[in-house]
Amino acid sequence: MGISHTNDSTGRLAVQTFLTLDGVMQAPGGPEEDRDGGFDQGGWTVNYWDEQMGEVMDEQMNEGDALLLGRRTYDIFAAHWPNIDPEDDPTAAKLNDVPKYVASRDLSDVEWENSTLLEGDVAEAVLGLKGKYEGQTISVSGSQNLIQTLLKHDLVDEFWLWVFPVVVGGGKRLFGEGTVPAAFELSGAETSSTGVQMLRYERAGEIDHGSFALDDTAA
């Protein structure tokens, strides 16, 4: 059961992730990014990028007032973005400057500038962040394991999903066991020249169930 869902007095938590058509989010950026479970299809996003996708990514990154990361994604980002000249890349400028919060059981310290290691129970810590960033957006990039905790505790308010026209068969999926049922509404949609769907969904309360079964009492 979730701790508490967002309301107008808290920040919005937006999960931003790349997905295959079969719902996998593992290792989108390269073959060696995450080989857990023997995954050998890493790098499935690389050859689909176009100019429009770069522009949308910059826009979405600029929406985030804080960034929440799991350990693996933090390690990947911290090894890359500080080495990119912010004068040449607005995403690098944003990611290096924005407050970053890292959920990890293994790390004892985080060295990337403006980074803070969350302490204690992750769900409680994230709930505290939502209170701190009232009226603002906390974005989550990658971080599949962390997302499972957020879903289990019903802490996600928006999904920014980029669906790539590829099927990989197996791997870590966005929605795992323990996800709390919820309804969402489509708030934005764009399509790249390479067929990538860039979709935005906002929380829309509980699921409104119905049935197509015929009414046996009808005359």
Side-chain angles (χ1 to χ4, degrees), residues 106-143:
D106 303 321
L107 295 176
S108 58
D109 188 29
V110 284
E111 298 182 355
W112 190 9
E113 61 180 316
N114 302 316
S115 296
T116 300
L117 189 63
L118 293 180
E119 298 181 353
D121 180 79
V122 171
E124 291 285 1
V126 172
L127 193 62
L129 284 180
K130 294 181 75 172
K132 177 180 179 179
Y133 286 91
E134 178 180 346
Q136 298 177 289
T137 298
I138 304 166
S139 61
V140 183
S141 293
S143 308

Side-chain angles (χ1 to χ4, degrees), residues 2-182:
I3 294 175
S4 173
H5 197 263
T6 189
N7 55 52
D8 292 339
S9 65
T10 69
R12 298 178 302 160
L13 189 69
V15 166
Q16 178 188 48
T17 192
F18 304 144
L19 286 179
T20 64
L21 286 177
D22 51 343
V24 173
M25 59 178 293
Q26 186 171 356
E32 302 304 323
E33 194 172 78
D34 181 359
R35 287 192 175 272
D36 285 359
F39 189 71
D40 60 0
Q41 298 296 321
W44 44 268
T45 69
V46 175
N47 293 317
Y48 287 93
W49 281 81
D50 67 2
E51 183 176 351
Q52 179 189 9
M53 292 168 67
E55 293 172 353
V56 174
M57 177 59 70
D58 289 343
E59 292 171 1
Q60 291 188 347
M61 285 296 180
N62 284 329
E63 286 188 52
D65 299 290
L67 183 63
L68 177 61
L69 301 170
R71 182 198 59 80
R72 190 189 297 269
T73 302
Y74 169 80
D75 287 344
I76 293 170
F77 279 22
H80 177 76
W81 292 110
N83 300 312
I84 304 300
D85 188 342
E87 297 293 330
D88 298 330
D89 191 323
T91 297
K94 176 68 177 184
L95 289 176
N96 288 321
D97 183 63
V98 72
K100 293 169 283 289
Y101 299 90
V102 185
S104 172
R105 298 185 183 92
D106 303 321
L107 295 176
S108 58
D109 188 29
V110 284
E111 298 182 355
W112 190 9
E113 61 180 316
N114 302 316
S115 296
T116 300
L117 189 63
L118 293 180
E119 298 181 353
D121 180 79
V122 171
E124 291 285 1
V126 172
L127 193 62
L129 284 180
K130 294 181 75 172
K132 177 180 179 179
Y133 286 91
E134 178 180 346
Q136 298 177 289
T137 298
I138 304 166
S139 61
V140 183
S141 293
S143 308
Q144 193 268 349
N145 289 335
L146 170 61
I147 290 172
Q148 302 314 302
T149 299
L150 302 176
L151 291 172
K152 179 180 178 181
H153 291 281
D154 199 17
L155 290 169
V156 178
D157 304 299
E158 298 185 16
F159 286 104
W160 302 350
L161 305 181
W162 290 31
V163 183
F164 287 71
V166 60
V167 173
V168 296
K172 297 177 182 177
R173 287 175 161 76
L174 172 59
F175 298 105
E177 294 183 8
T179 299
V180 174

